[in-house]
Coordinates of all heavy atoms in Angstrom, one line a residue:
Y1 N 0.8 -1.2 0.0 CA 0.0 0.0 0.0 C 0.9 1.3 0.0 O 2.0 1.2 0.4 CB -0.9 0.0 1.2 CG -0.3 -0.1 2.6 CD1 0.0 1.1 3.2 CD2 0.0 -1.3 3.1 CE1 0.6 1.0 4.5 CE2 0.7 -1.4 4.3 CZ 1.0 -0.2 5.0 OH 1.5 -0.3 6.3
I2 N 0.3 2.3 -0.4 CA 1.1 3.6 -0.5 C 0.6 4.6 0.5 O -0.7 4.7 0.7 CB 0.9 4.2 -1.9 CG1 1.5 3.4 -3.0 CG2 1.5 5.6 -1.9 CD1 1.2 3.8 -4.4
L3 N 1.5 5.2 1.3 CA 1.2 6.2 2.3 C 1.9 7.5 1.9 O 3.1 7.4 1.6 CB 1.5 5.8 3.7 CG 0.7 4.7 4.4 CD1 1.4 4.4 5.7 CD2 -0.7 5.2 4.6
G4 N 1.2 8.6 2.0 CA 1.9 9.9 1.6 C 1.8 10.2 0.2 O 1.3 9.4 -0.6
P5 N 2.2 11.4 -0.1 CA 2.1 11.9 -1.5 C 3.2 11.3 -2.4 O 4.3 11.1 -1.9 CB 2.3 13.4 -1.4 CG 3.2 13.6 -0.2 CD 2.7 12.5 0.8
P6 N 2.9 11.1 -3.7 CA 3.9 10.6 -4.6 C 4.7 11.8 -5.1 O 4.4 13.0 -4.9 CB 3.1 9.9 -5.7 CG 1.9 10.8 -5.7 CD 1.6 11.1 -4.3
G7 N 5.9 11.5 -5.7 CA 6.6 12.5 -6.5 C 7.6 13.2 -5.5 O 8.1 12.6 -4.6
P8 N 7.9 14.5 -5.8 CA 9.0 15.2 -5.1 C 8.8 15.4 -3.6 O 9.8 15.6 -2.9 CB 9.2 16.5 -5.9 CG 7.9 16.7 -6.5 CD 7.3 15.3 -6.8
L9 N 7.5 15.3 -3.2 CA 7.3 15.6 -1.8 C 7.3 14.2 -1.0 O 7.0 14.2 0.2 CB 6.0 16.3 -1.6 CG 6.0 17.8 -1.9 CD1 4.7 18.4 -1.6 CD2 7.1 18.5 -1.1
A10 N 7.5 13.1 -1.7 CA 7.5 11.8 -1.0 C 8.7 11.8 0.1 O 9.8 12.2 -0.3 CB 7.7 10.7 -2.0
P11 N 8.4 11.4 1.3 CA 9.5 11.4 2.2 C 10.7 10.5 1.9 O 10.5 9.4 1.4 CB 8.8 10.9 3.5 CG 7.4 11.1 3.3 CD 7.1 11.0 1.8
G12 N 11.9 11.0 2.1 CA 13.1 10.2 1.8 C 13.7 9.8 3.2 O 13.3 10.4 4.2
G13 N 14.5 8.8 3.2 CA 15.1 8.4 4.5 C 14.1 7.8 5.4 O 14.0 8.2 6.6
I14 N 13.3 6.9 4.9 CA 12.3 6.3 5.8 C 12.9 5.2 6.7 O 13.7 4.5 6.3 CB 11.1 5.7 4.9 CG1 10.5 6.7 4.0 CG2 10.2 4.8 5.7 CD1 9.1 6.6 3.8
T15 N 12.4 5.2 7.9 CA 12.9 4.3 8.9 C 11.7 3.7 9.7 O 10.7 4.4 9.9 CB 13.9 4.9 9.9 OG1 14.5 3.9 10.7 CG2 13.3 6.0 10.7
V16 N 11.8 2.4 10.0 CA 10.7 1.8 10.8 C 11.2 1.7 12.3 O 12.3 1.3 12.6 CB 10.4 0.4 10.2 CG1 9.3 -0.3 11.1 CG2 10.0 0.5 8.8
A17 N 10.3 2.1 13.2 CA 10.6 2.0 14.6 C 10.6 0.6 15.2 O 9.9 -0.2 14.5 CB 9.6 2.9 15.4
P18 N 11.2 0.3 16.3 CA 11.1 -1.0 16.9 C 9.7 -1.4 17.2 O 8.9 -0.5 17.5 CB 11.9 -0.9 18.2 CG 12.8 0.3 17.9 CD 12.1 1.2 17.0
G19 N 9.3 -2.6 17.0 CA 7.9 -3.0 17.0 C 7.1 -3.0 15.8 O 6.1 -3.5 15.6
R20 N 7.7 -2.3 14.7 CA 7.2 -2.1 13.4 C 5.7 -1.6 13.4 O 5.0 -2.0 12.4 CB 7.3 -3.5 12.7 CG 8.7 -4.1 12.7 CD 8.9 -5.3 12.0 NE 8.6 -5.3 10.6 CZ 9.3 -4.8 9.6 NH1 10.6 -4.4 9.9 NH2 8.9 -4.9 8.4
R21 N 5.3 -0.8 14.3 CA 4.0 -0.3 14.3 C 4.0 1.2 13.7 O 3.0 1.6 13.3 CB 3.4 -0.1 15.7 CG 3.2 -1.5 16.3 CD 2.6 -1.5 17.7 NE 2.4 -2.8 18.1 CZ 2.3 -3.1 19.3 NH1 2.4 -2.2 20.3 NH2 2.0 -4.4 19.7
R22 N 5.2 1.9 13.8 CA 5.3 3.3 13.3 C 6.5 3.3 12.4 O 7.4 2.5 12.6 CB 5.6 4.2 14.5 CG 4.3 4.5 15.4 CD 3.6 5.6 14.9 NE 2.2 5.7 15.5 CZ 1.9 6.6 16.4 NH1 2.7 7.6 16.6 NH2 0.6 6.6 16.9
A23 N 6.4 4.3 11.4 CA 7.6 4.6 10.6 C 7.7 6.0 10.5 O 6.7 6.7 10.7 CB 7.4 4.0 9.2
Y24 N 8.8 6.5 10.2 CA 9.1 8.0 10.1 C 9.9 8.2 8.8 O 10.6 7.4 8.3 CB 10.0 8.4 11.3 CG 9.3 8.1 12.6 CD1 9.6 6.9 13.3 CD2 8.4 8.9 13.2 CE1 8.9 6.6 14.5 CE2 7.7 8.6 14.3 CZ 8.1 7.4 15.0 OH 7.4 7.2 16.2
G25 N 9.6 9.4 8.2 CA 10.2 9.8 6.9 C 10.5 11.2 6.9 O 9.9 12.0 7.6
L26 N 11.5 11.6 6.1 CA 11.9 13.0 6.0 C 11.6 13.5 4.5 O 11.9 12.8 3.6 CB 13.4 13.2 6.2 CG 13.9 13.0 7.6 CD1 15.5 13.1 7.5 CD2 13.4 14.0 8.5
V27 N 11.0 14.7 4.5 CA 11.0 15.4 3.2 C 12.1 16.4 3.2 O 12.2 17.2 4.2 CB 9.6 16.1 3.0 CG1 9.7 17.0 1.8 CG2 8.5 15.1 2.9
Q28 N 13.0 16.4 2.3 CA 14.2 17.2 2.3 C 14.3 18.0 1.0 O 14.8 17.5 0.0 CB 15.4 16.4 2.5 CG 15.5 15.6 3.7 CD 16.8 14.8 3.9 OE1 17.8 15.5 4.3 NE2 16.8 13.6 3.8
Q29 N 13.8 19.2 1.0 CA 13.8 20.1 -0.1 C 14.3 21.4 0.5 O 13.9 21.8 1.6 CB 12.5 20.3 -0.8 CG 12.0 19.1 -1.5 CD 10.7 19.3 -2.1 OE1 9.9 20.1 -1.6 NE2 10.4 18.6 -3.2
V30 N 15.1 22.2 -0.2 CA 15.6 23.5 0.3 C 14.4 24.3 0.6 O 13.5 24.5 -0.2 CB 16.5 24.2 -0.8 CG1 16.9 25.6 -0.3 CG2 17.7 23.4 -1.1
G31 N 14.4 24.7 1.9 CA 13.2 25.6 2.3 C 11.9 24.8 2.7 O 11.0 25.3 3.1
N32 N 12.0 23.4 2.6 CA 10.9 22.6 2.9 C 11.4 21.3 3.5 O 11.6 20.3 2.8 CB 10.0 22.3 1.6 CG 8.8 21.5 2.0 OD1 8.2 21.5 3.0 ND2 8.4 20.7 1.0
W33 N 11.5 21.3 4.8 CA 11.9 20.0 5.6 C 10.7 19.7 6.5 O 10.1 20.4 7.2 CB 13.1 20.3 6.4 CG 14.4 20.4 5.7 CD1 15.2 19.4 5.3 CD2 15.0 21.6 5.2 NE1 16.2 19.9 4.6 CE2 16.2 21.2 4.5 CE3 14.7 22.9 5.2 CZ2 17.0 22.1 3.9 CZ3 15.5 23.9 4.6 CH2 16.7 23.4 4.0
Q34 N 10.3 18.4 6.4 CA 9.2 17.9 7.1 C 9.5 16.5 7.7 O 10.2 15.7 7.0 CB 7.9 17.7 6.2 CG 7.5 19.0 5.6 CD 6.4 18.8 4.6 OE1 6.2 17.6 4.1 NE2 5.7 19.8 4.2
L35 N 9.0 16.2 8.9 CA 9.1 14.9 9.5 C 7.8 14.3 9.4 O 6.8 14.9 9.9 CB 9.7 15.0 11.0 CG 9.6 13.8 11.8 CD1 10.5 12.7 11.2 CD2 9.9 14.0 13.2
W36 N 7.6 13.2 8.8 CA 6.3 12.5 8.7 C 6.3 11.3 9.7 O 7.3 10.7 9.8 CB 6.2 12.0 7.3 CG 5.9 13.0 6.2 CD1 6.7 14.0 5.9 CD2 4.8 13.1 5.4 NE1 6.2 14.8 4.9 CE2 5.0 14.3 4.5 CE3 3.6 12.4 5.2 CZ2 4.1 14.7 3.6 CZ3 2.7 12.8 4.3 CH2 2.9 14.0 3.5
T37 N 5.1 11.1 10.2 CA 4.9 9.9 11.1 C 3.8 9.0 10.5 O 2.7 9.6 10.1 CB 4.5 10.3 12.5 OG1 5.5 11.2 13.0 CG2 4.3 9.1 13.4
F38 N 4.1 7.8 10.3 CA 3.2 6.8 9.7 C 2.7 5.8 10.7 O 3.6 5.2 11.5 CB 3.8 6.1 8.5 CG 4.3 7.0 7.4 CD1 5.7 7.4 7.4 CD2 3.5 7.5 6.5 CE1 6.2 8.2 6.5 CE2 4.0 8.4 5.5 CZ 5.3 8.8 5.5
D39 N 1.4 5.5 10.7 CA 0.8 4.4 11.5 C 0.8 3.2 10.6 O -0.1 3.1 9.7 CB -0.5 4.8 12.1 CG -1.2 3.7 12.8 OD1 -0.7 2.6 12.8 OD2 -2.2 4.1 13.5
L40 N 1.7 2.3 10.7 CA 1.7 1.1 9.8 C 0.6 0.1 10.1 O 0.1 -0.6 9.2 CB 3.1 0.4 9.9 CG 4.3 1.3 9.5 CD1 5.5 0.4 9.6 CD2 4.1 1.8 8.1
E41 N 0.1 0.0 11.3 CA -0.9 -0.9 11.6 C -2.2 -0.5 11.0 O -3.0 -1.4 10.5 CB -1.2 -1.1 13.2 CG -0.1 -1.7 13.9 CD -0.4 -1.9 15.3 OE1 -0.7 -0.8 16.0 OE2 -0.2 -3.0 15.9
N42 N -2.5 0.7 11.0 CA -3.8 1.2 10.5 C -3.7 1.9 9.1 O -4.6 2.5 8.6 CB -4.4 2.3 11.4 CG -4.8 1.6 12.8 OD1 -5.4 0.6 12.9 ND2 -4.2 2.1 13.9
K43 N -2.5 1.8 8.6 CA -2.2 2.3 7.2 C -2.7 3.7 6.9 O -3.5 4.0 6.1 CB -2.8 1.4 6.2 CG -2.4 0.0 6.2 CD -3.0 -0.9 5.2 CE -2.5 -2.3 5.3 NZ -3.1 -3.2 4.3
R44 N -2.2 4.6 7.8 CA -2.5 6.0 7.8 C -1.3 6.9 8.2 O -0.4 6.4 8.8 CB -3.7 6.3 8.6 CG -3.5 6.2 10.1 CD -4.8 6.4 10.9 NE -4.5 6.4 12.3 CZ -4.4 7.4 13.0 NH1 -4.5 8.7 12.5 NH2 -4.1 7.4 14.3
I45 N -1.4 8.2 7.8 CA -0.4 9.2 8.2 C -0.9 9.8 9.5 O -2.0 10.2 9.6 CB -0.3 10.3 7.2 CG1 0.2 9.6 5.9 CG2 0.6 11.4 7.6 CD1 0.2 10.6 4.7
V46 N 0.0 9.7 10.5 CA -0.4 10.3 11.8 C -0.2 11.8 11.9 O -1.0 12.5 12.4 CB 0.4 9.6 12.9 CG1 0.2 10.3 14.3 CG2 0.2 8.1 13.0
G47 N 0.8 12.3 11.2 CA 1.1 13.7 11.2 C 2.4 14.1 10.4 O 3.2 13.2 10.1
K48 N 2.6 15.3 10.3 CA 3.8 15.8 9.7 C 4.2 17.1 10.5 O 3.3 17.9 10.8 CB 3.8 16.0 8.2 CG 2.8 17.1 7.7 CD 2.8 17.2 6.2 CE 1.9 18.3 5.8 NZ 1.9 18.5 4.4
V49 N 5.4 17.4 10.6 CA 5.9 18.6 11.3 C 6.9 19.3 10.4 O 7.9 18.6 9.9 CB 6.6 18.2 12.6 CG1 7.2 19.4 13.3 CG2 5.6 17.5 13.5
D50 N 6.7 20.5 10.1 CA 7.7 21.4 9.4 C 8.8 21.8 10.4 O 8.6 22.1 11.5 CB 7.0 22.6 8.8 CG 6.0 22.2 7.8 OD1 6.2 21.3 7.0 OD2 4.9 22.9 7.8
F51 N 10.1 21.8 9.9 CA 11.2 22.3 10.7 C 12.3 22.9 9.8 O 12.3 22.7 8.6 CB 11.7 21.1 11.6 CG 12.3 20.0 10.8 CD1 13.7 20.0 10.7 CD2 11.6 19.0 10.3 CE1 14.3 19.0 10.0 CE2 12.2 18.0 9.6 CZ 13.5 18.0 9.4
N52 N 13.2 23.6 10.4 CA 14.3 24.1 9.7 C 15.4 23.1 9.7 O 15.9 22.7 10.7 CB 14.9 25.4 10.4 CG 13.9 26.6 10.4 OD1 13.2 26.7 9.3 ND2 13.8 27.3 11.4
G53 N 15.7 22.5 8.5 CA 16.6 21.5 8.4 C 17.9 21.9 7.6 O 18.1 23.0 7.3
R54 N 18.7 20.9 7.3 CA 19.8 21.0 6.5 C 19.9 19.9 5.5 O 19.3 18.9 5.6 CB 21.1 20.7 7.4 CG 21.2 21.7 8.5 CD 22.4 21.4 9.3 NE 22.5 22.3 10.5 CZ 23.3 22.1 11.4 NH1 24.1 21.1 11.5 NH2 23.3 22.9 12.5
P55 N 20.6 20.2 4.4 CA 20.7 19.1 3.3 C 21.4 17.9 3.9 O 22.1 17.9 4.8 CB 21.6 19.8 2.3 CG 21.5 21.2 2.5 CD 21.3 21.4 4.0
R56 N 21.0 16.8 3.3 CA 21.6 15.4 3.6 C 21.4 15.0 5.0 O 22.2 14.4 5.7 CB 23.1 15.4 3.3 CG 23.4 15.7 1.8 CD 24.9 15.7 1.5 NE 25.7 16.5 2.4 CZ 26.0 17.8 2.4 NH1 25.4 18.5 1.5 NH2 26.7 18.3 3.3
M57 N 20.2 15.2 5.6 CA 19.9 14.8 6.9 C 19.5 13.3 6.9 O 19.1 12.8 5.9 CB 18.8 15.6 7.5 CG 19.1 17.1 7.8 SD 17.9 18.0 8.6 CE 18.0 17.3 10.3
S58 N 19.6 12.6 8.0 CA 19.3 11.3 8.2 C 18.4 11.1 9.4 O 18.3 12.0 10.2 CB 20.5 10.4 8.5 OG 21.4 10.5 7.4
I59 N 17.7 10.0 9.5 CA 16.7 9.8 10.6 C 17.0 8.4 11.2 O 17.2 7.5 10.5 CB 15.2 9.9 10.0 CG1 14.3 9.8 11.1 CG2 15.0 9.0 8.9 CD1 12.9 10.2 10.7
T60 N 16.9 8.4 12.6 CA 17.2 7.1 13.2 C 16.3 7.0 14.5 O 16.3 8.0 15.2 CB 18.6 6.9 13.6 OG1 19.5 7.2 12.5 CG2 18.9 5.6 14.3
P61 N 15.5 6.0 14.6 CA 14.7 5.9 15.9 C 15.7 5.3 17.0 O 16.7 4.6 16.7 CB 13.7 4.8 15.6 CG 14.3 4.0 14.5 CD 15.2 4.9 13.7
S62 N 15.3 5.6 18.3 CA 16.1 5.1 19.4 C 15.7 3.6 19.5 O 14.8 3.2 19.0 CB 15.7 5.8 20.7 OG 14.3 5.7 21.0
T63 N 16.5 2.9 20.2 CA 16.3 1.5 20.4 C 15.0 1.1 21.0 O 14.4 0.0 20.8 CB 17.4 0.7 21.1 OG1 17.6 1.3 22.4 CG2 18.7 0.8 20.4
D64 N 14.4 1.9 21.8 CA 13.1 1.7 22.5 C 12.0 2.4 21.8 O 10.8 2.2 22.2 CB 13.2 2.1 24.0 CG 13.4 3.6 24.2 OD1 13.4 4.3 23.2 OD2 13.4 4.0 25.4
G65 N 12.3 3.1 20.7 CA 11.2 3.7 19.9 C 10.6 5.0 20.5 O 9.7 5.5 19.9
R66 N 11.2 5.5 21.6 CA 10.7 6.7 22.3 C 11.2 8.0 21.6 O 10.5 9.0 21.8 CB 11.0 6.6 23.7 CG 10.3 5.6 24.5 CD 10.6 5.5 26.0 NE 10.5 6.9 26.5 CZ 11.2 7.3 27.5 NH1 12.1 6.6 28.1 NH2 11.0 8.5 28.0
F67 N 12.3 8.0 20.9 CA 12.9 9.1 20.4 C 13.2 8.9 18.9 O 13.5 7.8 18.5 CB 14.2 9.5 21.2 CG 14.0 9.8 22.6 CD1 14.2 8.9 23.5 CD2 13.5 11.0 23.0 CE1 14.0 9.2 24.9 CE2 13.3 11.3 24.3 CZ 13.6 10.3 25.3
I68 N 13.2 10.0 18.2 CA 13.6 10.0 16.8 C 14.8 11.0 16.7 O 14.7 12.2 17.1 CB 12.4 10.5 15.9 CG1 11.3 9.7 16.0 CG2 12.9 10.6 14.5 CD1 11.5 8.2 15.7
Y69 N 15.8 10.5 16.2 CA 17.1 11.3 16.0 C 17.2 11.8 14.5 O 17.2 10.9 13.6 CB 18.3 10.5 16.4 CG 18.3 10.1 17.8 CD1 18.1 8.7 18.0 CD2 18.5 11.0 18.9 CE1 18.1 8.3 19.4 CE2 18.5 10.5 20.1 CZ 18.2 9.1 20.4 OH 18.2 8.7 21.7
L70 N 17.3 13.1 14.3 CA 17.5 13.7 13.0 C 19.0 14.2 13.1 O 19.3 15.0 13.9 CB 16.6 14.9 12.7 CG 15.1 14.6 12.7 CD1 14.3 15.8 12.6 CD2 14.8 13.6 11.7
H71 N 19.8 13.6 12.1 CA 21.2 14.0 12.2 C 21.7 14.1 10.8 O 21.1 13.7 9.8 CB 22.0 12.9 13.0 CG 21.7 11.5 12.6 ND1 22.5 10.9 11.7 CD2 20.7 10.6 12.9 CE1 22.1 9.6 11.5 NE2 21.0 9.5 12.2
G72 N 22.9 14.6 10.7 CA 23.5 14.7 9.4 C 24.8 15.5 9.5 O 25.4 15.5 10.5
P73 N 25.1 16.2 8.4 CA 26.4 17.0 8.4 C 26.4 18.1 9.6 O 25.4 18.6 9.9 CB 26.4 17.7 7.1 CG 25.3 17.1 6.3 CD 24.4 16.4 7.2
G74 N 27.6 18.2 10.1 CA 27.7 19.2 11.1 C 27.8 18.6 12.5 O 27.5 17.4 12.7
S75 N 28.1 19.4 13.5 CA 28.3 18.8 14.9 C 27.3 19.4 15.9 O 27.6 19.3 17.1 CB 29.7 19.0 15.3 OG 30.0 20.4 15.3
T76 N 26.2 20.0 15.5 CA 25.3 20.5 16.4 C 24.2 19.5 16.7 O 23.8 18.6 15.9 CB 24.6 21.8 15.8 OG1 23.9 21.5 14.6 CG2 25.6 22.9 15.6
V77 N 23.6 19.6 17.9 CA 22.5 18.8 18.4 C 21.4 19.7 18.9 O 21.7 20.5 19.7 CB 23.0 17.8 19.4 CG1 21.8 17.0 20.0 CG2 24.1 16.9 18.9
E78 N 20.2 19.4 18.6 CA 19.0 20.2 19.1 C 18.2 19.2 19.8 O 17.8 18.1 19.1 CB 18.2 20.9 18.0 CG 19.0 22.1 17.5 CD 18.1 22.8 16.4 OE1 16.9 22.9 16.6 OE2 18.7 23.3 15.4
I79 N 17.7 19.4 21.0 CA 16.8 18.5 21.7 C 15.4 19.3 21.9 O 15.5 20.4 22.3 CB 17.3 18.1 23.1 CG1 18.6 17.4 22.8 CG2 16.3 17.3 23.8 CD1 19.4 17.1 24.1
R80 N 14.4 18.7 21.4 CA 13.0 19.4 21.5 C 12.1 18.4 22.2 O 12.1 17.3 22.0 CB 12.5 19.7 20.2 CG 13.4 20.7 19.5 CD 12.9 21.1 18.2 NE 13.8 22.0 17.6 CZ 13.4 23.0 16.7 NH1 12.1 23.1 16.4 NH2 14.2 23.8 16.2

């Protein structure tokens, strides 16, 4: 099944959280960074959040699935 929009706004860097119930994806376009949350059990989009990002970001869930780490070039860390 397909979740989310097709084409250039399709999230890149998709990762599945432990337990395989949620997945997260990044939209990475200059001036348009979004974090998407997918509910895999119910096949729906839970939400998306716009944020100020950087090119070539990556996404990684924590081992317990409680946190999502957005990381990439540079040595800064933001906790929200």
Side-chain angles (χ1 to χ4, degrees):
Y1 57 93
I2 297 174
L3 286 176
L9 290 181
I14 299 216
T15 187
V16 177
R20 305 183 61 84
R21 295 180 178 159
R22 291 269 168 112
Y24 303 92
L26 289 176
V27 171
Q28 299 185 73
Q29 294 177 329
V30 175
N32 180 31
W33 286 274
Q34 299 171 345
L35 171 64
W36 288 61
T37 304
F38 303 98
D39 178 348
L40 299 179
E41 289 182 309
N42 298 304
K43 300 181 181 179
R44 66 185 186 97
I45 297 171
V46 175
K48 64 179 182 173
V49 175
D50 296 320
F51 66 97
N52 293 325
R54 297 181 187 167
R56 301 179 314 274
M57 293 184 74
S58 299
I59 183 170
T60 305
S62 64
T63 55
D64 63 5
R66 293 181 49 214
F67 299 99
I68 301 300
Y69 301 106
L70 299 175
H71 54 92
S75 59
T76 60
V77 175
E78 290 185 36
I79 299 173
R80 295 183 182 208

